[in-house]
Amino acid sequence: MKTKILALVVILAFGSSFNSQAQKLKKFGSSIEKKIGPKTIKVPYTDVVSYMGYAATGNEDEVKDGKKFYYIYVWVPAVAPELGVRMMSPVGKTKIKKATQSEAYTKNAKSSDYFDTYITLERSDIISKDNISVEAAKNANWITLERNDDSSEMPKQPSGSSYNSLLRYKSEASNPTKALTVGLYRIGFTTYKTGEVKGTFLAEVAAPIKLPGVVMAKTIEDLKKGL
Ligand SMILES: [Ca+2]
């Protein structure tokens, strides 16, 4: 009897510690709010593209202001009213339907490494998919539309800190430089602090309307394959 109770206590203790570490990712809510009874909820984005990757030493795409930047490229084929971007690290046990998984992610899916995410949403001056190339992306004029370091809407990291990131960007139709027009965008991700970045991550780009033909990929080569 004693051993049985002890076993139960052990299971309960472990069970609760797993629960406290589990990252529960909520539905990605847009800036459109709706009242349901006494509650106001953010209406979830209807079109979400998910990408799982693994950041490791030496595979950054660019060093900017002393920060190692990694990029995910996004082709937006239609004018979008709003875009949401969010990112969390590590992926942990989070399951996402239809997420694209990079080779680096599948090789390191069990890694417990994670990092303090920081995201930017940038737009290039490339507006035709025929003009997308590695060279063109490198030489394009990139404008940062929005950035985010820490969001309390995201699950906490295993350290207990709310260091994951989320941003929503609303198109300003009256201002051509701030409108979400057709074109090549990228999400820049790095750490708040300068230095190495290592760990698994989940990145999502979302729109409140179905945007057929949105392609998201880690590299321009892979993006072109999906166009
Ligand atoms: Ca952060």
PDB file of all heavy atoms in Angstrom, residues 33 58 73 125 156 158 226:
ATOM      1  N   GLU A  33     -12.130  42.687 -32.599  1.00  0.00           N
ATOM      2  CA  GLU A  33     -12.685  42.176 -31.341  1.00  0.00           C
ATOM      3  C   GLU A  33     -14.187  41.965 -31.439  1.00  0.00           C
ATOM      4  O   GLU A  33     -14.874  42.655 -32.184  1.00  0.00           O
ATOM      5  CB  GLU A  33     -12.346  43.138 -30.194  1.00  0.00           C
ATOM      6  CG  GLU A  33     -10.855  43.173 -29.932  1.00  0.00           C
ATOM      7  CD  GLU A  33     -10.465  43.947 -28.684  1.00  0.00           C
ATOM      8  OE1 GLU A  33     -11.212  44.874 -28.322  1.00  0.00           O
ATOM      9  OE2 GLU A  33      -9.415  43.621 -28.102  1.00  0.00           O
ATOM     10  N   GLY A  58      26.206  30.063 -36.246  1.00  0.00           N
ATOM     11  CA  GLY A  58      26.838  30.147 -37.563  1.00  0.00           C
ATOM     12  C   GLY A  58      25.897  30.076 -38.742  1.00  0.00           C
ATOM     13  O   GLY A  58      26.320  30.262 -39.873  1.00  0.00           O
ATOM     14  N   TYR A  73      11.160  34.299 -45.350  1.00  0.00           N
ATOM     15  CA  TYR A  73      10.588  35.101 -46.434  1.00  0.00           C
ATOM     16  C   TYR A  73       9.125  34.740 -46.657  1.00  0.00           C
ATOM     17  O   TYR A  73       8.738  33.573 -46.544  1.00  0.00           O
ATOM     18  CB  TYR A  73      11.392  34.898 -47.717  1.00  0.00           C
ATOM     19  CG  TYR A  73      12.799  35.451 -47.585  1.00  0.00           C
ATOM     20  CD1 TYR A  73      13.850  34.656 -47.153  1.00  0.00           C
ATOM     21  CD2 TYR A  73      13.050  36.800 -47.851  1.00  0.00           C
ATOM     22  CE1 TYR A  73      15.137  35.176 -47.000  1.00  0.00           C
ATOM     23  CE2 TYR A  73      14.325  37.327 -47.698  1.00  0.00           C
ATOM     24  CZ  TYR A  73      15.364  36.519 -47.273  1.00  0.00           C
ATOM     25  OH  TYR A  73      16.622  37.030 -47.110  1.00  0.00           O
ATOM     26  N   ASP A 125      10.986  46.146 -51.806  1.00  0.00           N
ATOM     27  CA  ASP A 125      10.430  46.844 -52.972  1.00  0.00           C
ATOM     28  C   ASP A 125      10.243  45.878 -54.152  1.00  0.00           C
ATOM     29  O   ASP A 125      10.072  46.308 -55.283  1.00  0.00           O
ATOM     30  CB  ASP A 125      11.297  48.055 -53.341  1.00  0.00           C
ATOM     31  CG  ASP A 125      12.775  47.703 -53.476  1.00  0.00           C
ATOM     32  OD1 ASP A 125      13.117  46.500 -53.379  1.00  0.00           O
ATOM     33  OD2 ASP A 125      13.586  48.627 -53.665  1.00  0.00           O
ATOM     34  N   LYS A 156       4.699  31.528 -21.852  1.00  0.00           N
ATOM     35  CA  LYS A 156       5.979  31.831 -21.218  1.00  0.00           C
ATOM     36  C   LYS A 156       7.041  30.844 -21.698  1.00  0.00           C
ATOM     37  O   LYS A 156       6.726  29.720 -22.077  1.00  0.00           O
ATOM     38  CB  LYS A 156       5.853  31.726 -19.699  1.00  0.00           C
ATOM     39  CG  LYS A 156       5.047  32.861 -19.098  1.00  0.00           C
ATOM     40  CD  LYS A 156       5.085  32.780 -17.572  1.00  0.00           C
ATOM     41  CE  LYS A 156       4.530  34.044 -16.955  1.00  0.00           C
ATOM     42  NZ  LYS A 156       3.283  33.886 -16.281  1.00  0.00           N
ATOM     43  N   PRO A 158      10.402  28.324 -20.947  1.00  0.00           N
ATOM     44  CA  PRO A 158      10.637  27.413 -19.812  1.00  0.00           C
ATOM     45  C   PRO A 158      11.240  28.120 -18.593  1.00  0.00           C
ATOM     46  O   PRO A 158      11.064  27.669 -17.455  1.00  0.00           O
ATOM     47  CB  PRO A 158      11.606  26.373 -20.390  1.00  0.00           C
ATOM     48  CG  PRO A 158      11.307  26.361 -21.852  1.00  0.00           C
ATOM     49  CD  PRO A 158      10.980  27.798 -22.197  1.00  0.00           C
ATOM     50  N   GLY A 226       7.849  27.129 -53.988  1.00  0.00           N
ATOM     51  CA  GLY A 226       6.445  27.120 -53.590  1.00  0.00           C
ATOM     52  C   GLY A 226       5.582  28.097 -54.369  1.00  0.00           C
ATOM     53  O   GLY A 226       4.368  28.107 -54.200  1.00  0.00           O
TER      54      GLY A 226
END
